[in-house]
Amino acid sequence: MDDEKAKILTSRGDIQDDPADRLADYEAALEIDPTQVVALRHRGQVLVESGDPEAALTDFDAALEIEPNDPETLEARGVALGMLGRHEEAMEALGKAIEIQPRFATAYIHRARLLMKEQQFKEAINDLDKSILVVTTNPLALVLRATCYEALNDTDRALADVERALKLQPNFLPAIQLQANLLLSAGCLEEALGVVEVLQQRLPNNAQILVQLGALYRQANRVNDAIAAFT
């Protein structure tokens, strides 16, 4: 009976909007049953989202003591370690998660992010290829791969991935910003401006877009338009 009540509290925590309410439900569940792996993992993930990866590791480690080969907890632990700059340990945790669950799309993405920080772009592309094979409709994976191609000066492949991401999610800001940067790098200033102007019409009060638009106007010697964008 106690086990079922702990599971119910954990499930309720999963659908709470307020992080404090989520934490309260997970903590209540763990008071009843300290071995609830899902509650431990989910409480740790709330702590990560709240900017406290160090505290989250305590929960992830406790969960792995109970279920050492749980791929979702290993992935979460890898994310927390990465936030703390402990990249070698993070890679180890993510690698183990992928070894246990080879079609773990998000674990490939997290490992690719770490590889990108180390400027290992070809290796990151390899992981992103695998993630995209598993989930073909994730625009984030496509934008990350495009970023790697950009770093390797492969503009054509980068633009292809960005365009594919925008077909999936037309207002995906990272994709549009990268598309503008790629067009600018290719010497297509007017096309880059057009991309950001359309986006600014859709999201008129977005500060990131206005800054990018103003910078492009400056490069195009459209001083008054740049001033208006920065105002």
Side-chain angles (χ1 to χ4, degrees), residues 57 60 73-83 86 89-91 93-94 110 114:
L57 279 177
F60 299 145
T73 306
L74 286 163
E75 179 198 36
R77 186 173 189 272
V79 171
L81 288 165
M83 290 174 69
R86 294 160 62 179
E89 294 171 83
M91 292 288 287
L94 291 166
H110 289 306
L114 291 173

Short mmCIF file of all heavy atoms in Angstrom, two decimals, residues 57 60 73-83 86 89-91 93-94 110 114:
data_model
loop_
_atom_site.label_atom_id
_atom_site.label_comp_id
_atom_site.label_asym_id
_atom_site.label_seq_id
_atom_site.Cartn_x
_atom_site.Cartn_y
_atom_site.Cartn_z
N LEU A 57 23.11 15.41 -7.99
CA LEU A 57 23.96 14.21 -8.05
C LEU A 57 23.69 13.27 -6.88
O LEU A 57 23.78 12.05 -7.02
CB LEU A 57 25.43 14.61 -8.08
CG LEU A 57 26.00 15.04 -9.42
CD1 LEU A 57 27.46 15.46 -9.26
CD2 LEU A 57 25.90 13.92 -10.45
N PHE A 60 20.75 11.24 -7.93
CA PHE A 60 21.08 10.32 -9.02
C PHE A 60 21.93 9.16 -8.51
O PHE A 60 21.72 8.00 -8.89
CB PHE A 60 21.79 11.05 -10.15
CG PHE A 60 20.96 12.15 -10.79
CD1 PHE A 60 21.57 13.32 -11.24
CD2 PHE A 60 19.59 12.03 -10.92
CE1 PHE A 60 20.82 14.33 -11.81
CE2 PHE A 60 18.82 13.04 -11.49
CZ PHE A 60 19.45 14.19 -11.94
N THR A 73 18.54 7.42 -15.52
CA THR A 73 19.28 8.03 -14.40
C THR A 73 20.72 8.29 -14.80
O THR A 73 21.30 9.32 -14.43
CB THR A 73 19.22 7.13 -13.16
OG1 THR A 73 17.85 6.84 -12.85
CG2 THR A 73 19.85 7.82 -11.96
N LEU A 74 21.31 7.37 -15.54
CA LEU A 74 22.68 7.58 -16.02
C LEU A 74 22.76 8.81 -16.92
O LEU A 74 23.69 9.61 -16.82
CB LEU A 74 23.17 6.34 -16.78
CG LEU A 74 23.52 5.13 -15.90
CD1 LEU A 74 23.58 3.87 -16.76
CD2 LEU A 74 24.85 5.36 -15.18
N GLU A 75 21.76 8.99 -17.78
CA GLU A 75 21.73 10.18 -18.63
C GLU A 75 21.62 11.45 -17.78
O GLU A 75 22.36 12.42 -17.99
CB GLU A 75 20.55 10.12 -19.59
CG GLU A 75 20.45 11.35 -20.49
CD GLU A 75 19.09 11.52 -21.13
OE1 GLU A 75 18.08 11.21 -20.47
OE2 GLU A 75 19.03 11.97 -22.28
N ALA A 76 20.70 11.43 -16.81
CA ALA A 76 20.51 12.60 -15.95
C ALA A 76 21.79 12.91 -15.17
O ALA A 76 22.17 14.08 -15.00
CB ALA A 76 19.35 12.35 -14.99
N ARG A 77 22.48 11.87 -14.71
CA ARG A 77 23.73 12.07 -13.99
C ARG A 77 24.78 12.70 -14.93
O ARG A 77 25.54 13.59 -14.53
CB ARG A 77 24.24 10.75 -13.44
CG ARG A 77 25.47 10.88 -12.55
CD ARG A 77 25.82 9.54 -11.88
NE ARG A 77 26.86 9.73 -10.87
CZ ARG A 77 28.16 9.68 -11.13
NH1 ARG A 77 28.59 9.42 -12.36
NH2 ARG A 77 29.04 9.86 -10.16
N GLY A 78 24.81 12.24 -16.17
CA GLY A 78 25.74 12.79 -17.14
C GLY A 78 25.49 14.27 -17.39
O GLY A 78 26.44 15.07 -17.49
N VAL A 79 24.23 14.66 -17.46
CA VAL A 79 23.88 16.07 -17.66
C VAL A 79 24.37 16.91 -16.48
O VAL A 79 24.97 17.98 -16.65
CB VAL A 79 22.37 16.23 -17.86
CG1 VAL A 79 21.96 17.71 -17.86
CG2 VAL A 79 21.93 15.57 -19.17
N ALA A 80 24.10 16.42 -15.26
CA ALA A 80 24.52 17.16 -14.06
C ALA A 80 26.04 17.30 -14.00
O ALA A 80 26.57 18.38 -13.70
CB ALA A 80 23.99 16.46 -12.81
N LEU A 81 26.75 16.22 -14.30
CA LEU A 81 28.21 16.27 -14.29
C LEU A 81 28.73 17.24 -15.34
O LEU A 81 29.70 17.97 -15.11
CB LEU A 81 28.78 14.87 -14.53
CG LEU A 81 28.62 13.88 -13.36
CD1 LEU A 81 28.86 12.46 -13.84
CD2 LEU A 81 29.57 14.23 -12.22
N GLY A 82 28.10 17.26 -16.49
CA GLY A 82 28.49 18.20 -17.54
C GLY A 82 28.32 19.64 -17.10
O GLY A 82 29.17 20.49 -17.37
N MET A 83 27.22 19.92 -16.40
CA MET A 83 26.99 21.28 -15.89
C MET A 83 28.06 21.69 -14.89
O MET A 83 28.40 22.88 -14.78
CB MET A 83 25.61 21.36 -15.23
CG MET A 83 24.46 21.27 -16.21
SD MET A 83 22.84 21.18 -15.37
CE MET A 83 22.75 22.84 -14.66
N ARG A 86 32.58 18.52 -15.14
CA ARG A 86 33.25 17.23 -14.96
C ARG A 86 32.98 16.37 -16.20
O ARG A 86 32.27 15.39 -16.18
CB ARG A 86 32.74 16.57 -13.67
CG ARG A 86 33.15 17.34 -12.43
CD ARG A 86 32.31 17.03 -11.19
NE ARG A 86 32.40 15.65 -10.77
CZ ARG A 86 31.77 15.16 -9.70
NH1 ARG A 86 31.04 15.97 -8.94
NH2 ARG A 86 31.86 13.88 -9.39
N GLU A 89 33.71 12.40 -16.52
CA GLU A 89 32.72 11.60 -15.81
C GLU A 89 31.37 11.65 -16.52
O GLU A 89 30.64 10.64 -16.58
CB GLU A 89 32.56 12.08 -14.37
CG GLU A 89 33.78 11.89 -13.50
CD GLU A 89 33.63 12.58 -12.17
OE1 GLU A 89 32.99 11.98 -11.27
OE2 GLU A 89 34.13 13.72 -12.02
N ALA A 90 31.03 12.81 -17.05
CA ALA A 90 29.77 12.96 -17.77
C ALA A 90 29.76 12.06 -19.01
O ALA A 90 28.76 11.38 -19.29
CB ALA A 90 29.57 14.42 -18.18
N MET A 91 30.86 12.07 -19.76
CA MET A 91 30.96 11.22 -20.94
C MET A 91 30.83 9.74 -20.57
O MET A 91 30.19 8.96 -21.28
CB MET A 91 32.29 11.47 -21.64
CG MET A 91 32.42 12.83 -22.29
SD MET A 91 31.41 13.01 -23.78
CE MET A 91 32.34 11.99 -24.91
N ALA A 93 29.17 8.46 -17.95
CA ALA A 93 27.78 8.17 -17.60
C ALA A 93 26.90 8.09 -18.84
O ALA A 93 26.08 7.17 -18.98
CB ALA A 93 27.25 9.24 -16.65
N LEU A 94 27.08 9.03 -19.76
CA LEU A 94 26.27 9.03 -20.99
C LEU A 94 26.62 7.83 -21.86
O LEU A 94 25.73 7.21 -22.47
CB LEU A 94 26.48 10.34 -21.74
CG LEU A 94 25.90 11.57 -21.05
CD1 LEU A 94 26.44 12.85 -21.69
CD2 LEU A 94 24.38 11.57 -21.10
N HIS A 110 23.04 14.87 -25.62
CA HIS A 110 23.81 15.40 -24.49
C HIS A 110 25.30 15.12 -24.66
O HIS A 110 26.14 15.97 -24.36
CB HIS A 110 23.30 14.80 -23.18
CG HIS A 110 21.95 15.30 -22.77
ND1 HIS A 110 21.66 16.63 -22.64
CD2 HIS A 110 20.80 14.63 -22.46
CE1 HIS A 110 20.40 16.78 -22.26
NE2 HIS A 110 19.86 15.59 -22.15
N LEU A 114 28.65 17.86 -25.20
CA LEU A 114 29.95 17.83 -24.52
C LEU A 114 31.09 17.77 -25.54
O LEU A 114 32.11 18.45 -25.38
CB LEU A 114 30.02 16.61 -23.60
CG LEU A 114 29.11 16.65 -22.36
CD1 LEU A 114 29.17 15.31 -21.64
CD2 LEU A 114 29.51 17.77 -21.41
#
